[in-house]
Amino acid sequence: MTRIIRLLLSYDGTAYAGWQRQRQGERTIQATLEDCLRTLCGHPVTVHGAGRTDAGVHALGMVAHFHTPVDHPLTAFSKGLNSLLPPDIRIFEAREAAPDFHSRFSACAKMYRYDFCTGEVLPPERRLYMGHFPGKSLFDLKAVSKALHHLCATHDFTGFAHALELHEGGRGAVRTLLAAHCEPIPGLPGGWSLRLKGDGFLRQMVRIITGTVVEVGQGRRNADSVLEILAARDRRLAGKTAPACGLFLERVLYPEGV
Amino acid sequence: MTRIIRLLLSYDGTAYAGWQRQRQGERTIQATLEDCLRTLCGHPVTVHGAGRTDAGVHALGMVAHFHTPVDHPLTAFSKGLNSLLPPDIRIFEAREAAPDFHSRFSACAKMYRYDFCTGEVLPPERRLYMGHFPGKSLFDLKAVSKALHHLCATHDFTGFAHALELHEGGRGAVRTLLAAHCEPIPGLPGGWSLRLKGDGFLRQMVRIITGTVVEVGQGRRNADSVLEILAARDRRLAGKTAPACGLFLERVLYPEGV
């Protein structure tokens, strides 16, 4: 009988070309997991993730699943798998999933966090885990909150997505942003965390929203400009894409009971 | 006229063989600073640090100073130096110091922080910045606080110092621990920060104290055992030396006006 194993995992994306297995054998999270699971299970394994993080993006609570006929105890897929994986990928939990579970299609929402620093100097011990936007003026959190408030609804987010990505069929580029907050990082002057929760995210959407609202916070554009970007559906009107290293997939949410 | 320039700096010690310049040309913080300052000043520069951190140890608020006859503006030694330094060493401030200032001898106290994780799995994005002490039992913070309270006074700390280090002359191995606290890290279950403030620290003292009180917290020794270690002045009675990567020099304190 085939089991479906559901994994909760974290990774430091610094050394990886993103989640998805690449043709040329670049180092990716999916390929690393699949290689270790093949050793553990004795058969080729395909790992499905709840989302495909880009190169350099981190995850604190990625959910993934795979099928296997082997009857290993669940600890084989947590402790056992951790003993095979490099220390920058860690399994926090492995459990049996229902036959209809799919890490991506069963998910109802995702939470992302973008950490950044507006101080002149980027703290060296955080440099791999924050974007750096040095600015001379005070960071206007109120204006940022206003811009985020505008975004927090159901919109066509084409203007905040990678320009070469096509959004055809299904819901197109329409997504619902359920929550969006920016808060100072305690103990780190000039450090900010932007948290977004949504029913889905287009490619680079969190990083483009971040790049745009940072410009709002630094007085380089006004909060209402995000409404124009939404209306025009034109990526060129939005801000720069924030660097990958500040982005964390914090959590994948599923309906109750899943 | 010779100026004394005082630097406030941070570094990620992961890629360095510690602070102090090594004979064989290993990569160290001091050597990296001196090489960049030589380029900047046009003459060989000796950088004196407030302390010598070991290989892999980080600093958030190291203080250092050097002498130079050049009349560069101070920004040359902050922004200018940062443009020459690798991103894992950052200057936060450069200022003129009084002729009798010495980063090490003028200091009156230092604050260190040791971050560690007692959870089963070490979060991958923190693995370079925390010690990992997985334990099955609950971490007994009350017992740890009792052990730290015992240590927090003027003692001969030979039992908590690197065994091969000699403490002859002057105050020998007598140091005063002024404050010692252990607190949970917000948002990180199983994460703890141990903070020590003292008028001076022997080699590896913070890491040996950490290793010892972690054993107390995990019920593998009792809090009063630290009194025996102090009395016996025997390193072998103390706990294991905690890994370098969890240690941060947080701050160097000077008398008011210095």
Side-chain angles (χ1 to χ4, degrees):
Chain A
M1 207 190 93
T2 296
R3 300 158 75 192
I4 301 183
I5 307 295
R6 170 176 168 171
L7 302 174
L8 176 68
L9 67 147
S10 289
Y11 49 84
D12 179 334
T14 307
Y16 294 89
W19 169 270
Q20 196 170 18
R21 185 182 273 276
Q22 306 285 327
R23 278 184 202 159
Q24 292 96 354
E26 270 191 285
R27 204 169 174 237
T28 69
I29 308 291
Q30 186 189 16
T32 306
L33 283 166
E34 288 177 353
D35 292 350
C36 292
L37 279 170
R38 186 188 182 128
T39 302
L40 202 64
C41 297
H43 64 84
V45 173
T46 300
V47 175
H48 303 271
R52 294 171 195 162
T53 54
D54 281 334
V57 173
H58 316 292
L60 302 177
M62 174 62 97
V63 176
H65 77 279
F66 63 93
H67 295 248
T68 183
V70 301
D71 62 354
H72 294 343
L74 282 172
T75 51
F77 304 119
S78 53
K79 284 192 184 188
L81 187 50
N82 276 335
S83 71
L84 297 174
L85 286 166
D88 52 6
I89 305 178
R90 291 288 93 183
I91 310 296
F92 278 83
E93 190 186 72
R95 49 195 259 211
E96 310 280 348
D100 60 348
F101 176 79
H102 190 290
S103 54
R104 184 168 160 214
F105 302 125
S106 305
C108 56
K110 279 183 200 145
M111 296 167 71
Y112 280 96
R113 190 179 91 214
Y114 195 97
D115 287 348
F116 60 97
C117 171
T118 56
E120 196 187 327
V121 181
L122 182 66
E125 81 287 0
R126 307 254 194 163
R127 75 194 186 288
L128 304 174
Y129 310 99
M130 296 189 109
H132 189 206
F133 307 100
K136 289 196 193 287
S137 60
L138 278 183
F139 192 70
D140 186 347
L141 186 56
K142 212 171 151 185
V144 169
S145 299
K146 189 180 175 192
L148 292 175
H149 183 75
H150 285 325
L151 292 172
C152 216
T154 301
H155 293 292
D156 181 319
F157 280 99
T158 302
F160 290 98
H162 194 284
L164 298 179
E165 195 83 343
L166 294 174
H167 307 110
E168 290 168 336
R171 53 183 175 171
V174 176
R175 298 290 184 277
T176 300
L177 203 58
L178 300 158
H181 303 282
C182 187
E183 287 175 334
I185 297 176
L188 187 71
W192 306 90
S193 287
L194 175 64
R195 285 191 169 82
L196 301 180
K197 177 182 174 181
D199 69 348
F201 291 87
L202 307 176
R203 188 153 175 231
Q204 297 193 343
M205 180 170 146
V206 181
R207 291 163 59 192
I208 297 169
I209 289 177
T210 302
T212 306
V213 302
V214 164
E215 292 180 12
V216 171
Q218 294 183 330
R220 289 183 282 130
R221 65 163 69 226
N222 67 60
D224 292 339
S225 70
V226 303
L227 295 172
E228 295 158 30
I229 302 163
L230 287 171
R233 302 173 62 235
D234 184 346
R235 165 70 188 90
R236 292 168 300 177
L237 299 182
K240 282 186 191 162
T241 306
C245 66
L247 184 58
F248 294 81
L249 172 60
E250 279 208 314
R251 205 172 154 195
V252 185
L253 298 164
Y254 295 90
E256 209 167 333
V258 175
Chain B
M1 205 192 94
T2 297
R3 300 157 76 193
I4 303 184
I5 307 295
R6 169 177 169 171
L7 303 173
L8 176 67
L9 67 146
S10 290
Y11 49 83
D12 178 335
T14 307
Y16 294 88
W19 169 269
Q20 196 171 18
R21 187 182 270 278
Q22 306 285 327
R23 278 183 202 160
Q24 292 97 353
E26 271 190 286
R27 203 167 175 238
T28 70
I29 308 291
Q30 186 190 15
T32 305
L33 283 167
E34 288 177 352
D35 292 350
C36 292
L37 280 169
R38 185 186 184 131
T39 302
L40 201 65
C41 297
H43 64 83
V45 173
T46 301
V47 176
H48 304 271
R52 295 171 194 160
T53 54
D54 281 334
V57 173
H58 316 292
L60 302 177
M62 173 63 97
V63 176
H65 77 279
F66 63 93
H67 295 249
T68 183
V70 302
D71 62 355
H72 295 343
L74 282 173
T75 51
F77 304 119
S78 51
K79 283 192 183 187
L81 188 49
N82 276 336
S83 71
L84 297 174
L85 285 166
D88 52 5
I89 305 178
R90 291 288 92 182
I91 309 296
F92 277 83
E93 191 187 71
R95 49 196 261 211
E96 310 279 348
D100 61 348
F101 176 79
H102 191 289
S103 53
R104 183 169 161 212
F105 302 125
S106 304
C108 57
K110 279 183 202 145
M111 294 167 71
Y112 280 96
R113 189 180 92 214
Y114 195 97
D115 287 348
F116 60 97
C117 170
T118 55
E120 196 187 327
V121 180
L122 182 64
E125 80 288 0
R126 308 254 194 163
R127 74 194 186 288
L128 305 174
Y129 309 100
M130 298 190 108
H132 189 207
F133 307 100
K136 291 195 192 287
S137 59
L138 278 183
F139 191 68
D140 186 346
L141 186 57
K142 212 171 152 186
V144 168
S145 300
K146 190 180 175 192
L148 292 174
H149 182 75
H150 286 325
L151 292 172
C152 213
T154 302
H155 294 291
D156 181 320
F157 279 99
T158 302
F160 290 98
H162 193 284
L164 298 178
E165 196 83 344
L166 293 174
H167 307 111
E168 289 167 337
R171 53 183 172 169
V174 175
R175 298 290 184 277
T176 300
L177 203 58
L178 299 158
H181 301 283
C182 187
E183 285 173 337
I185 298 176
L188 188 71
W192 306 91
S193 286
L194 175 65
R195 286 191 169 82
L196 300 181
K197 177 182 175 182
D199 69 349
F201 290 87
L202 307 175
R203 189 153 174 231
Q204 297 193 342
M205 182 170 143
V206 181
R207 291 163 59 192
I208 297 170
I209 288 177
T210 301
T212 307
V213 301
V214 164
E215 293 181 10
V216 170
Q218 295 184 327
R220 290 183 282 130
R221 66 163 70 228
N222 67 60
D224 292 339
S225 70
V226 303
L227 295 171
E228 294 158 30
I229 302 164
L230 287 170
R233 304 171 62 234
D234 184 346
R235 165 70 188 90
R236 293 168 300 177
L237 299 181
K240 283 187 190 162
T241 306
C245 66
L247 184 59
F248 295 81
L249 172 59
E250 279 210 313
R251 205 171 155 196
V252 185
L253 298 164
Y254 294 91
E256 210 168 333
V258 175

